[in-house]
Amino acid sequence: MELVDNLALGFSIAFSPYTLMLAVLGCFIGTIVGALPGLGPSNGVAIMIPITFSMGLGAVPALVLLTAIYYGAMYGGRISSILLNIPGDEPALMTTLDGYPMAKNGRASDALVISGVASFVGAFLATIGLMLLAPILSRVAYEFGPGEYFALYLLAFATLGGISSNNQAKAALASCIGLMIAMIGLDPNSGLPRLTGGNLHLYDGIDFLVAIVGLFAVSEIFFFIESHGKSSAVGVLVGKVRVPWGDIWATRWTMLRSSFVGFFAGVLPGAGASLGSFMTYMMEKSIAGDKGGFGTGVPKGVAAPEAGNNAAAGGALVPMLTLGVPGSGTTAVLLAVLVTLNITPGPTLFTERPDVVWGLIASLLIANFVLLFMNVPMVKIFVRVLQVPPAILLPGVTMVSFVGIYSLTGSYFDLLLVVAFGVLGYLLRKLDIPTVPVILGILLGHQMEKQLRDAMVLSDGSAWGLIYTRPSDPTDLSLIALGLLIAAVVGFVAPIFLRKVLKKPQAVTD
């Protein structure tokens, strides 16, 4: 009954004409962003954050717009994968394996429609899962104290860094860079400046949004300049769009299985949509066996990764909303939005701001239907976006980023910081060092430091305070903190061995 009341509250907010318009606009923008190779959901949301705040949107409308962009980008990533053999983002990589061969076989429109329906099934079921699982997890989070939260943050760094990079040492270095940036400013306890170099502009620390726009959006511009602006063109033309009902019916169990697996991959802090699409593709390939024809252009090879990565995108919202720990790179960006809006993610969010949580969930449910409508009959419109030359598109992105940041802060120094973070992001990517752990460090650094200090104070300076609720009583062990610390160690070390066993199949080349 409580769930019904909460949903009624959410739909009363989501069905307001203004919120509905923002959801539709976010879906449209997100699909375009996702269709453009290289941008992806993280960059798309990062670029739109300054504009969102410049529009003076409240907490709920801003979140509805940005999460609709997030979901839209996850839908749109498949378009360039199928037509150009270039994934719009990393989670769409697995879609190229069968999507591009289908397009080359003259079934481009079928592949686009099947992937659109699979994306809808995955994202819709994940939103239902978010609706059911998040309130339960938020009640568990009430058991968390400083030690448990510190262990949870450590787990997020270990898994998000470990899985998003091919090198654990580089992921750890990126986390340290992020934590170091978070320490810039005045010490919250002593009030003494730290790492400011005497610059008064840095006494208040560095804004998340400045770092995010620089690391994601501006670094992309530098790569564009380096490549001298490659021309874009649709590799395979789309014929008449029709709905292949037979293929959709034949892939129904694939979509359902992949949605469940993808959702739980997304719930794990750090796993994200990439792991969801990879796991579901390999699972369906194993079930089908050699006779399944995976890699030659079969509908199941398109449906599985698309349902998996869209379900994982929804699952990644669960730890972000209930624990304040992002489940993926894009949810790390969304977490920064929540913090900037003075909304504290965690167990109290569901009781203190039910309008935010349930308005968001209801909007996501509506957005899924909007995206299904956009991505099946209107797919040709989005395909045309791939023909826009980057020489026109990316300078526009640059202008939007700088104008947005200046309208928010009104500080020329922050514009210099945006450029500096753009250079940092470019260098990190050239050195194959992941940028997501840097963002995570900037976002969680203050809270991580606070929880560590609180745990140490409660234990009179003893490090055992991280795993004992009362250090004076050796039998009062915190199983949650201990379990999270063990999971952090396993999450950091396991990918080293798993990468040798699980190798991603190579994409098809011409």
Side-chain angles (χ1 to χ4, degrees):
M1 194 63 191
E2 184 184 354
L3 180 64
V4 175
D5 292 340
N6 287 328
L7 272 179
L9 170 66
F11 279 112
S12 69
I13 297 168
F15 271 125
S16 73
Y18 186 54
T19 310
L20 205 56
M21 182 198 72
L22 289 173
V24 174
L25 180 66
C27 292
F28 186 78
I29 295 172
T31 307
I32 289 174
V33 168
L36 295 168
L39 279 183
S42 301
N43 287 335
V45 175
I47 291 165
M48 288 301 295
I49 288 174
I51 300 172
T52 304
F53 287 121
S54 307
M55 291 164 67
L57 298 179
V60 176
L63 277 177
V64 167
L65 177 64
L66 293 174
T67 48
I69 292 172
Y70 175 31
Y71 264 34
M74 295 303 299
Y75 270 68
R78 78 201 199 286
I79 296 175
S80 59
S81 297
I82 291 169
L83 297 180
L84 300 177
N85 200 26
I86 302 171
D89 53 11
E90 191 182 341
L93 171 66
M94 306 306 289
T95 309
T96 61
L97 302 178
D98 280 277
Y100 187 60
M102 274 188 79
K104 287 179 70 178
N105 294 336
R107 300 192 63 199
S109 66
D110 289 353
L112 287 167
V113 174
I114 291 167
S115 60
V117 174
S119 298
F120 168 77
V121 173
F124 184 77
L125 291 179
T127 310
I128 299 290
L130 167 69
M131 192 171 71
L132 298 175
L133 188 61
I136 298 171
L137 196 58
S138 69
R139 292 188 193 107
V140 175
Y142 276 113
E143 304 293 326
F144 279 43
E148 286 81 1
Y149 269 112
F150 179 79
L152 182 66
Y153 293 147
L154 212 57
L155 173 64
F157 278 108
T159 53
L160 196 63
I163 292 175
S164 64
S165 170
N166 291 322
N167 187 315
Q168 257 63 4
K170 290 181 177 179
L173 174 64
S175 301
C176 291
I177 292 172
L179 290 171
M180 187 184 72
I181 295 170
M183 292 181 69
I184 294 174
L186 299 177
D187 185 301
N189 282 15
S190 66
L192 295 173
R194 299 186 300 194
L195 304 175
T196 60
N199 191 325
L200 292 176
H201 291 288
L202 294 174
Y203 274 36
D204 288 334
I206 290 178
D207 197 299
F208 314 123
L209 303 182
V210 171
I212 287 171
V213 171
L215 286 172
F216 283 96
V218 178
S219 66
E220 194 65 40
I221 307 297
F222 290 136
F223 273 98
F224 164 71
I225 295 170
E226 184 185 52
S227 66
H228 304 293
K230 293 174 184 173
S231 62
S232 60
V234 176
V236 179
L237 295 177
V238 181
K240 185 179 179 182
V241 177
R242 63 179 185 86
V243 179
W245 294 109
D247 287 331
I248 291 172
W249 180 251
T251 56
R252 64 192 185 285
W253 298 119
T254 297
M255 293 181 193
L256 288 175
R257 278 193 298 267
S258 301
S259 299
F260 282 109
V261 173
F263 176 73
F264 285 105
V267 170
L268 298 173
S274 299
L275 184 66
S277 66
F278 175 69
M279 284 176 62
T280 50
Y281 184 88
M282 297 306 291
M283 177 183 72
E284 287 301 318
K285 187 179 178 182
S286 302
I287 291 172
D290 294 336
K291 294 180 180 176
F294 273 65
T296 60
V298 293
K300 286 184 179 179
V302 174
E306 281 304 312
N309 73 38
N310 281 277
L317 291 171
V318 176
M320 187 198 79
L321 292 173
T322 57
L323 302 172
V325 174
S328 65
T330 312
T331 49
V333 178
L334 287 171
L335 180 62
V337 177
L338 285 173
V339 174
T340 308
L341 291 166
N342 292 322
I343 297 171
T344 307
T348 56
L349 179 63
F350 284 77
T351 52
E352 293 179 355
R353 295 300 302 270
D355 57 323
V356 171
V357 176
W358 293 103
L360 176 64
I361 289 173
S363 297
L364 289 176
L365 288 170
I366 295 169
N368 279 317
F369 286 97
V370 173
L371 282 164
L372 179 66
F373 175 76
M374 281 185 178
N375 279 270
V376 176
M378 296 172 63
V379 72
K380 280 194 169 185
I381 295 174
F382 294 111
V383 170
R384 288 186 182 277
V385 175
L386 295 175
Q387 297 170 324
V388 176
I392 296 173
L393 189 71
L394 287 179
V397 169
T398 313
M399 184 188 72
V400 166
S401 301
F402 279 85
V403 170
I405 287 293
Y406 189 75
S407 66
L408 277 178
T409 65
S411 166
Y412 76 89
F413 185 76
D414 282 342
L415 295 182
L416 296 177
L417 279 180
V418 169
V419 177
F421 275 106
V423 174
L424 176 65
Y426 172 80
L427 293 176
L428 291 177
R429 289 168 64 180
K430 291 292 281 186
L431 295 171
D432 198 25
I433 296 174
T435 52
V436 171
V438 179
I439 292 295
L440 203 62
I442 300 171
L443 268 174
L444 301 182
H446 289 293
Q447 277 300 316
M448 196 172 178
E449 181 185 1
K450 180 181 180 301
Q451 302 297 349
L452 177 62
R453 283 185 170 179
D454 289 350
M456 298 295 280
V457 168
L458 289 173
S459 63
D460 292 328
S462 169
W464 291 110
L466 294 175
I467 56 171
Y468 284 101
T469 306
R470 288 194 301 273
S472 58
D473 182 0
T475 61
D476 196 9
L477 185 69
S478 170
L479 294 177
I480 296 176
L482 184 62
L484 289 171
L485 286 172
I486 292 172
V489 174
V490 173
F492 190 73
V493 175
I496 299 173
F497 302 100
L498 287 176
R499 281 193 196 99
K500 296 177 182 176
V501 180
L502 302 173
K503 290 184 178 178
K504 289 182 181 178
Q506 296 297 311
V508 178
T509 55
D510 285 321

